Amino acid sequence: MDPLLMKVVKASELVSKAFQAQAGVVQAIAQCKKPTPNELPALVAPVAEHMQAATALIEGRRSAVFNHQKAVAESLHALSWMVYTGPNCGVSLPAQHVEESWQSAEFFANKVMMEFRNSDSRHVDWVKALKQVFQHLKAYVKQHHPAGPAWNANGIPFKDCKSDSPGAAAPSPAPASAPKTQPAAAPSRGGPAAPPPPPPGSLFQPKAPSGPTPSAASTSSSSMSAVFSELNKGNTVTSGLKKVTDDMKSKNRADRSGAVPSSTPSATKPSTSAAGKAAVPTSAPPRTELVLGRKWCVENHTGNRSLILDQTDAKQSVYIFNCSNCTVQVQGKVNAITLDSCSRTGLVFRDLVSSCEVVNCSSVEVQSTGVMPTIAIDKTDGIVVCSLLTLV
């Protein structure tokens, strides 16, 4: 086989292996309860390994099939939809994330089609097949995981299913002779495509008529007859209403604060205190970690003046969220930095490939000691920007 085609086959095998590893993760999503943030990286580690292997193909000297390899490396970022945990996790919603990842890969896929459209149709068919794979992935996550991975709330604990490898085969389904009195066991042990059935007595299942139904119907009929008879009275229908005197009108009230006094203060006091306790937000634990080798997440730190990211490269981005009274130093060159919902926080970095974004912050300082192509500031109250070298 042609050596160039061998390289394309190698990149295609990485796509196949990554999707096989993803199937194990989807199986765990269908069977297990939602894992903790510390357990999730171990689950998606096999997928991340294949993504990093695809990225390694484009490092170093460019080959003749660089556009093929680049299209694979960029498109495999779509598989990180499985780490979506909420609006502030740094990843878009699954369907949107898959679409964004393919748009990045489509630039290089179009280059392949332009290069080989008149010489070798096999490369054109390869691009079409790759695009179709991620179109199907987008349709799948949009249907089954629109708001993030749909973990099985009634499934087994994650620690019990973590022993199976992500690429392991699914457990055998229940035998046909299993009793029908346990319908809830099928969703937790079956595949991810079938949603759990509605419980007995659901609103979607018709109920058999019970004994008092005729009497209830007659009661409803008599009630409606009473309503129509009252309406037929004409103007006298309002004769039974209580008249509102001048002293009852709000404009004539001595106390116009709008507060309604409670007649039973002892009964309402416990509920008020309970509501106050429920309204107190719980603080998330501090977090500093590299997600899938592509994004540094620095979150929920308070009073930490020695946050240093020194193991970075130009393909990684940094997302700093909900930090207060902190100083974050980014050493080396990174792709982009986002500072979100932070207060009294300082950011120091060297070089950027794309941009620095500051949003929903107050009293922050941003300092660049190298090249900063672009800075975007939105919904921020009080910011100091300092560029020691140049702003290109």
Side-chain angles (χ1 to χ4, degrees):
M1 183 181 290
D2 187 352
L4 296 181
L5 292 180
M6 289 294 294
K7 293 182 179 180
V8 177
V9 171
K10 183 179 179 181
S12 302
E13 289 176 350
L14 287 177
V15 177
S16 176
K17 293 178 181 178
F19 271 83
Q20 291 175 5
Q22 179 191 231
V25 180
V26 172
Q27 173 188 338
I29 293 174
Q31 295 180 354
C32 308
K33 296 181 180 180
K34 185 176 181 180
T36 64
N38 295 331
E39 295 173 331
L40 184 59
L43 177 64
V44 300
V47 181
E49 290 178 1
H50 298 304
M51 295 172 62
Q52 293 172 358
T55 303
L57 295 178
I58 60 177
E59 295 178 350
R61 187 175 182 179
R62 292 190 176 186
S63 66
V65 291
F66 172 79
N67 291 327
H68 298 72
Q69 297 169 338
K70 186 68 173 177
V72 169
E74 292 293 333
S75 61
L76 283 183
H77 293 322
L79 302 188
S80 58
W81 66 268
M82 299 173 293
V83 301
Y84 179 86
T85 56
N88 298 321
C89 69
V91 179
S92 304
L93 287 170
Q96 181 182 354
H97 178 71
V98 173
E99 177 66 22
E100 292 172 352
S101 301
W102 173 248
Q103 288 177 357
S104 300
E106 193 172 22
F107 174 80
F108 301 95
N110 290 338
K111 283 188 174 183
V112 175
M113 298 187 68
M114 292 294 294
E115 181 180 356
F116 294 97
R117 62 179 180 178
N118 296 325
S119 59
D120 193 342
S121 61
R122 292 177 297 178
H123 296 270
V124 178
D125 295 338
W126 180 86
V127 171
K128 292 180 179 179
L130 184 66
K131 181 177 181 179
Q132 188 177 18
V133 167
F134 288 95
Q135 285 178 341
H136 289 171
L137 176 62
K138 177 184 176 182
Y140 168 77
V141 298
K142 186 175 182 180
Q143 179 180 357
H144 298 283
H145 308 277
W151 295 95
N152 190 349
N154 298 323
I156 60 178
F158 181 78
K159 61 181 181 180
D160 294 339
C161 66
K162 187 173 59 174
S163 58
D164 297 335
S165 61
S172 58
S177 60
K180 297 183 180 180
T181 56
Q182 298 178 355
S188 62
R189 303 292 293 176
S202 171
L203 293 177
F204 299 101
Q205 297 179 352
K207 291 185 177 181
S210 57
T213 301
S215 61
S218 60
T219 304
S220 175
S221 177
S222 60
S223 300
M224 293 302 299
S225 300
V227 171
F228 285 115
S229 62
E230 290 291 331
L231 293 177
N232 290 332
K233 292 182 179 180
N235 295 333
T236 60
V237 70
T238 60
S239 59
L241 298 179
K242 184 178 180 181
K243 182 175 178 59
V244 179
T245 59
D246 290 339
D247 59 327
M248 297 181 181
K249 298 179 181 179
S250 59
K251 66 178 182 179
N252 298 327
R253 288 176 53 187
D255 179 17
R256 299 184 60 185
S257 62
V260 179
S262 175
S263 58
T264 56
S266 59
T268 58
K269 185 175 181 180
S271 61
T272 304
S273 61
K277 292 181 181 179
V280 177
T282 57
S283 58
R287 175 191 178 200
T288 303
E289 65 175 324
L290 180 62
V291 179
L292 295 179
R294 302 289 297 182
K295 176 174 290 188
W296 281 99
C297 293
V298 182
E299 302 176 351
N300 307 317
H301 287 275
T302 301
N304 193 342
R305 296 291 182 179
S306 58
L307 290 170
I308 301 176
L309 304 180
D310 53 358
Q311 298 180 0
T312 59
D313 59 49
K315 298 179 182 178
Q316 297 174 347
S317 60
V318 180
Y319 181 71
I320 306 170
F321 172 73
N322 194 28
C323 292
S324 177
N325 295 315
C326 296
T327 300
V328 183
Q329 300 181 34
V330 182
Q331 299 178 358
K333 187 176 185 179
V334 296
N335 186 18
I337 299 178
T338 301
L339 194 64
D340 185 5
S341 303
C342 297
S343 62
R344 293 185 289 277
T345 297
L347 171 62
V348 182
F349 58 88
R350 195 181 73 180
D351 294 327
L352 288 180
V353 176
S354 58
S355 64
C356 175
E357 183 179 2
V358 183
V359 59
N360 296 326
C361 296
S362 62
S363 303
V364 295
E365 297 181 3
V366 178
Q367 178 177 333
S368 170
T369 60
V371 177
M372 178 171 56
T374 307
I375 182 169
I377 304 172
D378 187 20
K379 299 179 182 179
T380 297
D381 183 13
I383 181 172
V384 177
V385 181
C386 179
S387 179
L388 300 183
L389 183 58
T390 179
L391 182 67
V392 299

